[in-house]
Amino acid sequence: ASVINSYLRDPEVRKNTNASEKARIEGLISSMDYAESKSRLVNQAVLFRGIGGAFADQIRAQARYTEPGYASTSYDFSVTYRYASQYQRDSEGYANILVLQRDGGDYALFVDERERELIIPKGTTWDLVKEVKAEKIVLRASFRPIYPEKTYTKVRFLYIKESK
């Protein structure tokens, strides 16, 4: 998926991709689009996506963004927190996490239970609804988190909704 997303997100990557690799990647994109078109949520879901500080700043400044690639999300906050807190804390020490509410009937491709991952279709446009900083979080979920911790610290939640 990283090769596909690099190709979709970066014009330089597309420009420097040779013809046979371009054909291969575009075939994978076509397959992903087909799978996404057949994958709708039955019920409402709250999904999380960890992002870096620079990307969070961009979303906060513009209040709207379009994701040219496929956005990897998880319904398990602990998975997203682990990724965002270990690899992507910003200059203030916050793990930046997008919070997306998806309704029944919305497209989302379930990938695996290992990371409780769902992929959101490429080209989705999002509006920033609100930002909430939390110094300490105690997680309560209807399932056992993959990475349970007593508390989760320093999280900036960016609540976004799809522009329809």
Side-chain angles (χ1 to χ4, degrees):
S2 65
V3 169
I4 295 170
N5 276 337
S6 294
Y7 182 83
L8 291 169
R9 292 174 180 155
D10 189 340
E12 283 298 309
V13 170
R14 285 192 301 280
K15 179 181 159 188
N16 295 320
T17 301
N18 67 46
S20 65
E21 182 66 1
K22 183 176 183 174
R24 185 183 79 79
I25 292 170
E26 289 181 357
L28 293 171
I29 291 169
S30 179
S31 295
M32 285 285 294
D33 288 345
Y34 178 78
E36 286 274 5
S37 76
K38 302 295 182 191
S39 303
R40 291 183 180 252
L41 293 173
V42 175
N43 298 309
Q44 184 181 74
V46 176
L47 304 174
F48 304 97
R49 178 180 179 201
I51 60 172
F55 189 26
D57 291 344
Q58 176 187 341
I59 292 169
R60 291 164 55 217
Q62 297 173 355
R64 172 176 277 196
Y65 82 99
T66 298
E67 171 55 72
Y70 299 97
S72 174
T73 66
S74 179
Y75 66 85
D76 186 337
F77 172 78
S78 76
V79 171
T80 304
Y81 176 83
R82 183 174 185 171
Y83 170 77
S85 67
Q86 288 183 351
Y87 303 110
Q88 300 211 344
R89 287 203 181 264
D90 64 21
S91 60
E92 296 177 66
Y94 284 95
N96 290 278
I97 295 179
L98 297 177
V99 182
L100 308 72
Q101 181 173 310
R102 303 294 283 167
D103 294 323
D106 285 350
Y107 294 101
L109 177 63
F110 179 75
V111 177
D112 69 18
E113 188 60 28
R114 191 188 73 209
E115 292 189 346
R116 298 176 174 169
E117 182 179 13
L118 289 98
I119 303 291
I120 306 301
K122 72 180 187 335
T124 304
T125 299
W126 301 95
D127 291 318
L128 179 63
V129 176
K130 68 180 176 179
E131 172 185 342
V132 175
K133 286 182 182 179
E135 297 302 317
K136 196 186 284 189
I137 298 165
V138 176
L139 182 63
R140 290 183 179 85
S142 60
F143 54 86
R144 187 177 189 286
I146 291 177
Y147 304 109
E149 296 186 22
K150 287 185 179 185
T151 55
Y152 301 82
T153 59
K154 292 201 66 134
V155 179
R156 177 182 285 118
F157 292 102
L158 299 175
Y159 290 81
I160 59 176
K161 71 174 189 168
E162 185 175 353
S163 299
K164 295 188 180 185

